[in-house]
Amino acid sequence: MYKPKFLPQLKEIGSFMKDVKIYISKHESEVSKNPNEVEPLHLHEYVEIFFNVSHEVSFLVGGGVHQVKTGEILVSKPNEVHMCIYQEEGVHKHFCLWISVPENSKLLSFLDKEYCYCSSLI
């Protein structure tokens, strides 16, 4: 299976959220030859919050394909197979926030088994 280029180095935050680790990164990808370029399917053991900064993309996650416009976010669950599908040429920019929590944590209980969230932040 594909191993992501940017594996987060998760860090513990605050004692009130013991064993919770987070990592945030900024990505820029040049898409020039094939506007329908895709990244390989992948998964990881933490929640990924994808914030799209430029260009509309699609995201294959949760058994469906979701449009993610500029300024929108998409949340994928731990161990959920997903990938980003670029639809336009240009420099694509996005941020990813990865959150690792123990399996019994109630911190992210809003992510039930059938849930994928996409919403505009602007």
Side-chain angles (χ1 to χ4, degrees), residues 75-115:
V75 179
S76 59
K77 299 177 303 209
N79 299 310
E80 184 171 50
V81 175
H82 61 280
M83 71 179 191
C84 183
I85 304 167
Y86 300 108
Q87 299 176 352
E88 304 173 51
E89 292 186 22
V91 177
H92 288 259
K93 298 177 184 178
H94 68 273
F95 289 91
C96 280
L97 174 65
W98 291 282
I99 304 171
S100 175
V101 296
E103 284 186 35
N104 60 352
S105 174
K106 293 182 182 179
L107 179 65
L108 296 173
S109 60
F110 66 91
L111 291 175
D112 66 24
K113 293 183 190 283
E114 303 297 324
Y115 195 75

Side-chain angles (χ1 to χ4, degrees), residues 39-58:
E39 292 183 354
L41 282 169
H42 64 280
L43 59 87
H44 32 72
E45 58 188 31
Y46 22 81
V47 173
E48 178 178 306
I49 301 173
F50 176 92
F51 174 57
N52 190 21
V53 177
S54 65
H55 297 289
E56 188 170 316
V57 298
S58 293

